[in-house]
Amino acid sequence: MGLLDGKVAFIFGIANHRSIAWGIAKQLHEHGATIALSIFNEDMRRRVEPLAEEIGCEFVEPCDVNQDDEVDAVFEKFKEKYGKLDILVHSIAFAPREALGGRFTDMKREDFKLTLESSAYSLVALAKRAEPLMDEGSSIMTMSYYAAEKYIPDYNAMAIAKSALESITRYLAVDMGPQGIRVNAISAGPIKTLAAAGIPGFRSLIKHFDAVSPLGETVSVDDVGKTAVYLASDLSRMVTGEIIYVDSGYQVLGITVPRDEM
Ligand code: NAD
């Protein structure tokens, strides 16, 4: 018996085998869930379909989460095929290059709006369509980062988007609590993915992270996937509105001294 036997998961945000969404898809599948995937656009199909096959996924459909008609259409297709939804995974972020790095004060209104819309509002857009398909005990999860809470160099607009995303997580949790739907966020340590490649100085960030974090290891997409299994399953029955850290312990540190200098 798998922890997630009989459950259907709809996962948004898979670009390739490095994506956090892929780590989550693999782990949810391993524990018995049926997986449906949504990709940004058709260009991604070539890279994602072979991965989908590996986990017996028969649903790979495009959706730009900033287009309401596309979000409606993909949920309609999903509903036709599966009829119900138990697990919604939002693993999406986007910021124009100009909104990452440089002087924060120079932030452009349009870049700020696009970053917030793509990376934070998109959770509301997906959760709203998921809700009518969900029964008591269903789970919604999103991916955050420590820049939501503290200054991290170069995250700029994305830091603000992550703060908004964590707040949205709490508001959705309260809205959907009466229906028994849980809404949580995983705050992951830095992982080399396509999205992370857009952050200037990301390599030194990972190096620093490995040198100071209590567990002393870079987080993998599978590590995030394992916590996703907990959040998707009955094991987290009374957990909602939470930010769960999968970050090698980094966020407990008051000062970040490399372990070999302590
Ligand atoms: P990724 O590039 O693999 O995933 C980001 C996904 O967002 C891509 O699949 C991309 O196609 C999708 N996307 C962007 N705009 C979209 C839109 N308008 N419509 C539909 N899809 C869109 O990178 P990742 O690191 O796996 O990112 C997944 C999530 O994890 C993001 O929210 C990211 O901020 C978060 N996160 C990443 C790290 C890290 O270090 N990699 C750490 C903490 C949190």
Side-chain angles (χ1 to χ4, degrees):
M1 277 285 284
L3 265 176
L4 304 176
D5 280 354
K7 291 191 188 277
V8 182
F10 197 5
I11 302 178
F12 287 74
I14 181 165
N16 56 34
H17 70 285
R18 292 184 194 277
S19 294
I20 291 177
W22 172 236
I24 294 175
K26 274 189 296 178
Q27 291 296 326
L28 297 187
H29 165 71
E30 202 162 291
H31 287 82
T34 298
I35 309 294
L37 298 172
S38 181
I39 48 179
F40 187 4
N41 54 37
E42 281 297 343
D43 296 346
M44 298 202 154
R45 190 176 287 283
R46 188 176 46 86
R47 243 173 294 142
V48 171
E49 261 180 356
L51 300 175
E53 270 172 37
E54 275 183 42
I55 55 171
C57 162
E58 297 171 349
F59 187 100
V60 180
E61 291 296 336
C63 169
D64 175 345
V65 293
N66 292 342
Q67 307 300 327
D68 278 334
D69 54 339
E70 292 192 27
V71 184
D72 285 337
V74 83
F75 270 92
E76 204 44 54
K77 271 191 188 163
F78 175 89
K79 187 180 165 191
E80 266 168 37
K81 184 161 174 67
Y82 298 102
K84 65 138 190 177
L85 175 57
D86 303 290
I87 305 155
L88 173 72
V89 178
H90 171 276
S91 186
I92 285 175
F94 175 78
R97 198 160 283 277
E98 304 71 46
L100 301 170
R103 205 158 177 264
F104 182 81
T105 319
D106 294 334
M107 179 81 57
K108 296 224 168 53
R109 187 187 299 273
E110 285 312 311
D111 292 344
F112 181 88
K113 276 163 73 174
L114 181 57
T115 307
L116 269 283
E117 184 183 16
S118 312
S119 315
Y121 179 77
S122 57
L123 174 61
V124 184
L126 299 187
K128 185 179 163 68
R129 272 79 170 193
E131 187 182 17
L133 303 176
M134 292 183 138
D135 286 331
E136 198 178 334
S138 298
S139 168
I140 296 176
M141 67 189 86
T142 185
M143 301 302 127
S144 191
Y145 180 58
Y146 192 47
E149 299 164 57
K150 299 285 179 191
Y151 171 85
I152 305 279
D154 296 327
Y155 271 73
N156 298 15
M158 190 55 77
I160 313 307
K162 291 305 187 195
S163 301
L165 187 71
E166 294 190 1
S167 189
I168 288 169
T169 301
R170 291 184 280 273
Y171 276 80
L172 289 175
V174 172
D175 264 7
M176 298 191 180
Q179 290 90 267
I181 301 170
R182 292 172 286 111
V183 187
N184 293 287
I186 295 177
S187 182
I191 305 174
K192 278 184 204 148
T193 62
L194 208 59
I199 308 278
F202 190 76
R203 265 168 199 235
S204 27
L205 191 80
I206 288 213
K207 228 168 126 188
H208 164 78
F209 177 88
D210 288 352
V212 304
S213 65
L215 294 175
E217 246 186 75
T218 312
V219 172
S220 73
V221 298
D222 292 305
D223 295 324
V224 179
K226 285 174 186 174
T227 294
V229 171
Y230 158 73
L231 285 178
S233 77
D234 193 49
L235 294 179
S236 59
R237 208 176 78 81
M238 283 292 146
V239 178
T240 196
E242 279 296 333
I243 315 300
I244 314 249
Y245 296 90
V246 181
D247 69 344
S248 219
Y250 186 91
Q251 66 88 29
V252 305
L253 300 173
I255 51 164
T256 56
V257 182
R259 277 181 316 282
D260 58 11
E261 288 175 24
M262 279 186 185

